[in-house]
Amino acid sequence: MSRYRTVVRGPVVLPARASARYELLPPAGRFALPRPGVRARLRAFTAVPQTLSSADIRLRSSG
């Protein structure tokens, strides 16, 4: 939870129950992706209202 990403592309405001595609930049500019099929947890924080949303994501295998 100590590494935060910067939003490079995506809406500044996302209405309730909406979805959007975002491009995130890791803090050091690089991040090693896990091998295909490995689960990673994506967490998003909002300030107002204070909310924590989590989703498990997996890198799809090519092919």
Side-chain angles (χ1 to χ4, degrees), residues 6-60:
T6 302
V7 176
V8 177
R9 279 191 202 106
V12 174
V13 177
L14 189 62
R17 293 181 275 295
S19 62
R21 178 175 229 132
Y22 285 86
E23 181 180 339
L24 306 174
L25 180 67
R30 298 181 72 169
F31 180 76
L33 292 172
R35 69 184 184 280
V38 172
R39 179 186 66 117
R41 176 156 292 168
L42 176 65
R43 290 192 166 172
F45 299 91
T46 60
V48 179
Q50 289 187 343
T51 306
L52 167 62
S53 299
S54 300
D56 290 339
I57 57 175
R58 293 182 187 270
L59 182 63
R60 287 186 239 171

